[in-house]
Amino acid sequence: MARNKTSGLSESLVRYLSHELKSPLAKMEMSLRLYEKAFKANGSKDAQKRMEVYDTLIGSIHRLKHNMQNALDLFSLSSCHTELKKDSVILGELVSCAIKEVRGEAERKGIKLVSSLSKDIPTVPGDSQKIYNVLINLLDNALKFTDKGRVRVSVRTLPPRVEVSVSDTGIGLDTDNERISRLFEPFTENAEEITHPGLGLFVCKSIIERHGGEIWAESKGQNKGATIRFTLPA
Amino acid sequence: MNKAKEILIVEDDKDMQGFYKEMLKEEGYNLTLASNGKEGIERIKKKRFDLVILDIIMEEPTGDRLFALLRKSPMYKEVPVIFVSVFKKDTYVCTKALGHVSYLEKPFTKEDLLEEIRKSIGQC
């Protein structure tokens, strides 16, 4: 009984925070989108500057939205009482929605965004919101570290699992396996090290492992692109 | 000339109400705005709308409760409804339990809104 009450409180808090944080962000984005044409109208001397301001604002809103979702997911997953939802997740639909969400950023950078879905992909039991956040994190990372070329999302069946991969033609990864596995850690132990992989891949790992799946990174080396794959039980 | 379609929008956020007005101002629809579920109930008692757009998270009655009330009314049994929320569709058990409904996730664009409206009113 106590466990259920704690679990309910935690879920309610995440839900409340999620609504209260997402709503103003949604309104900021809607305001900008509604007046996009006015922002980007040609014919005045500051047109280029306004366009840059618009892109900066939209980009910042998206980054804030993703970071907020990661923080909420971490909070939710770190609660030992939180149980994942068991939706019948249609991965093809999630991939389409995720591609739609990041398409603006891909277009802005001139990167081709493609998907490849094999036939007869079964639904997977899981929390669709959290799996969606994994896809957004992986696409976001791929676009961040790719300056030209393409980003591809693939889904295929490998019974009894389904495998999803996000590959890019970007800056690639060090081929050292230990360094690659550290990508999925939230922060390095060396406080003097300035760069760290951020929370995104750590959140992805936490979500995928809570679903009974695996996630890993592959690369043929620096400037040779990278692929992040994850599997989920079907 | 066809009569303009009547749309009821139940939304408690003033900014969102402003977005709806701006997005739909030249699209030929007659809009009625209700600022909460209670006002929404009052509006639907007075006339039959062609489409109802419902924000889900509001003070009681919430959008999903209002939807359940609508479906119990013979006048609104078949009237299309579009749910709107910052959450993803799958978050809501009610949308699954109550069958097919249209769903718009905030933030949405004018084009997203018009597409959903056209799809919904076309279903009549």
Side-chain angles (χ1 to χ4, degrees), chain A residues 15 27 31 128-129 132, chain B residues 13 15 19 88 90 92 96:
Chain A
R15 198 175 165 82
K27 290 198 290 185
S31 304
S128 61
Q129 173 69 60
Y132 180 76
Chain B
D13 186 298
D15 296 324
F19 294 146
K88 296 220 162 293
D90 286 348
Y92 286 96
K96 290 177 192 165

Side-chain angles (χ1 to χ4, degrees), chain B residues 78-124:
Chain B
E78 303 293 331
V79 169
V81 169
I82 301 174
F83 273 129
V84 180
S85 172
V86 286
F87 293 115
K88 296 220 162 293
K89 185 177 180 179
D90 286 348
T91 312
Y92 286 96
V93 175
C94 66
T95 59
K96 290 177 192 165
L98 295 170
H100 173 76
V101 286
S102 298
Y103 196 97
L104 255 183
E105 189 186 333
K106 297 175 192 172
F108 53 83
T109 62
K110 177 178 175 174
E111 290 70 30
D112 295 332
L113 177 63
L114 286 174
E115 189 185 338
E116 282 306 322
I117 290 176
R118 284 168 190 152
K119 275 197 287 186
S120 298
I121 293 182
Q123 287 168 2
C124 271

Side-chain angles (χ1 to χ4, degrees), chain A residues 162-179:
Chain A
V162 176
E163 183 193 84
V164 181
S165 63
V166 177
S167 63
D168 63 59
T169 54
I171 61 169
L173 299 168
D174 197 311
T175 48
D176 182 324
N177 283 341
E178 195 183 329
R179 287 181 79 98

Side-chain angles (χ1 to χ4, degrees), chain B residues 16-17 20 24 29 34 36 52 62 67 75 88 102 115:
Chain B
M16 283 302 302
Q17 290 181 9
Y20 283 113
L24 299 175
Y29 299 110
N36 52 54
V52 180
T62 55
F67 177 74
M75 190 162 67
K88 296 220 162 293
S102 298
E115 189 185 338

